[in-house]
Amino acid sequence: MQNSPESRTETVLITGGAGFIGCAISESLLESFKRVVVVDNLHPQIHESGERPAALAEGVELIVGDITDAATWDRVLPEVKPDVVIHLAAETGTGQSLEEATRHTHVNVVGTSQLLDGFIRNKALPRRIVLTSSRAVYGEGAWRTTDGALFYPGQRTSETLDRSEWDFPGAEPTAMNAAEVFPAPVSVYGATKLAQENILLAWAKSYGVESAILRLQNVYGPGQSLINPYTGIMSLFCRMAMGGRSIPLYEDGQVRRDFILIDDIASAVVAAATSEKTPSTPLDIGSGEFQTIGTAAQTIAARYGAPAPHVTGQYRQGDVRHAWADISAARDVLGWEPRYNLAQGIALLADWIDVQPDVKPA
């Protein structure tokens, strides 16, 4: 789809579109679609004031509603009838999902099925659905032994973690690649995201609807919630360093993560919504390289002149040891490429946090 006035004939609907990613893509979507409609419940864990976020572009229609409620879709779909749907709405806390499994399952799984049922009930089948999934569906992913064989180690146990046995002996982790690594989630959150994928794929193939699944790595950057304690490790680190604290590092500080700036995530989501190509398998979206948690914390500490980070040896159930994306398929299918490295992203995040009103050091 070209971004010319003549091409803007379609309607796009974004679930959870008043959140971090939804706000980041809103301006670009207005350039590609005639009508942009957001359905969001403005949950207080993300939206403290309960008001329309300032970062949501003018021209975007906001409908306040709960995706898990069939009445929401019977109210929205008869009038909106979207051509493209971007399904962002989800509960995302890995640790929180262990304590609130019902909440995560209800929103992520039932919310998805209610949306799909609403399409059928209201005769409003879209042309394409884009789902933002998560690297959490892989769990620990695939590891490679010294002789080159791949294996799936499964979930780390409390017993091994209590002994500070962080890695799997005699093996190295591999990048997450949907074409080669099968999903094996080790958190409730990851399990619900995989269920979303499977439900969407089965439904979309049955009804001839295009589907694009994006498995996102660790998203951060300006605009992310500063009040949600279950997401946003990078913003938490910034607030700790802002207060002159030494950032605590779980495990041995060598946990690998693929930190990707919100701007790069936004361009990937918009590309998936507007590309002429439809991916045949889920696409892994990240920076394409890993950084250790320790490296990220050191970069942030240096930015604020804070004390060096320190290793605590603590761990969190449901966390995987290493995670990063092989983004070659996203490059090939979407023509997409991340533009920001870790240092650039942290600088943008820290500059944004520094000017936010009422931000308190953590």
Side-chain angles (χ1 to χ4, degrees), residues 38-187:
V38 161
V39 175
D40 198 297
N41 68 353
L42 300 181
H43 195 286
Q45 185 168 301
I46 305 297
H47 305 278
E48 192 172 26
S49 70
E51 299 176 352
R52 178 189 176 108
L56 187 63
E58 291 185 20
V60 172
E61 301 171 46
L62 172 61
I63 299 173
V64 179
D66 189 334
I67 68 163
T68 67
D69 185 355
T72 294
W73 301 118
D74 291 343
R75 171 167 58 99
V76 171
L77 292 174
E79 193 274 324
V80 175
K81 295 199 181 299
D83 300 283
V84 176
V85 174
I86 301 175
H87 188 23
L88 303 176
E91 293 291 346
T92 60
T94 300
Q96 187 182 27
S97 73
L98 293 173
E99 302 169 355
E100 299 185 39
T102 300
R103 174 182 166 188
H104 281 70
T105 303
H106 185 62
V107 173
N108 297 354
V109 179
V110 176
T112 299
S113 62
Q114 287 282 28
L115 171 64
L116 301 180
D117 286 349
F119 291 144
I120 301 301
R121 202 166 50 247
N122 292 284
K123 297 180 174 56
L125 288 183
R127 174 174 59 81
R128 175 179 297 179
I129 301 177
V130 178
L131 170 66
T132 51
S133 186
S134 168
R135 55 94 174 160
V137 302
Y138 290 109
E140 292 288 350
W143 288 56
R144 194 178 301 277
T145 62
T146 53
D147 61 4
L150 281 181
F151 75 103
Y152 291 81
Q155 186 169 359
R156 296 182 294 172
T157 67
S158 296
E159 290 76 12
T160 58
L161 293 172
D162 285 341
R163 294 195 298 268
S164 299
E165 295 177 7
W166 311 123
D167 286 298
F168 299 98
E172 284 292 323
T174 64
M176 293 170 169
N177 179 337
E180 299 176 359
V181 179
F182 68 74
V186 297
S187 67

Side-chain angles (χ1 to χ4, degrees), residues 14-35:
I14 309 97
T15 71
F20 185 28
I21 296 175
C23 287
I25 64 177
S26 59
E27 195 71 53
S28 294
L29 291 176
L30 286 170
E31 297 173 1
S32 296
F33 292 90
K34 181 179 182 180
R35 186 181 184 192

Side-chain angles (χ1 to χ4, degrees), residues 2-18:
Q2 300 297 316
N3 292 340
S4 63
E6 293 78 12
S7 71
R8 295 198 294 269
T9 60
E10 293 191 319
T11 295
V12 60
L13 170 70
I14 309 97
T15 71

Side-chain angles (χ1 to χ4, degrees), residues 259-291:
F259 297 106
I260 177 165
L261 189 69
I262 181 60
D263 303 65
D264 286 331
I265 286 292
S267 64
V269 173
V270 172
T274 59
S275 173
E276 294 182 1
K277 294 183 179 180
T278 304
S280 58
T281 61
L283 299 178
D284 297 283
I285 306 295
S287 68
E289 62 183 20
F290 64 79
Q291 307 285 345

Side-chain angles (χ1 to χ4, degrees), residues 298-337:
Q298 289 165 7
T299 304
I300 291 171
R303 162 66 170 73
Y304 285 97
H310 65 282
V311 172
T312 69
Q314 295 172 280
Y315 64 85
R316 187 174 66 168
Q317 290 285 0
D319 272 353
V320 300
R321 176 61 172 169
H322 302 304
W324 76 97
D326 178 342
I327 61 174
S328 55
R331 286 190 177 111
D332 293 342
V333 175
L334 301 180
W336 169 83
E337 190 79 31

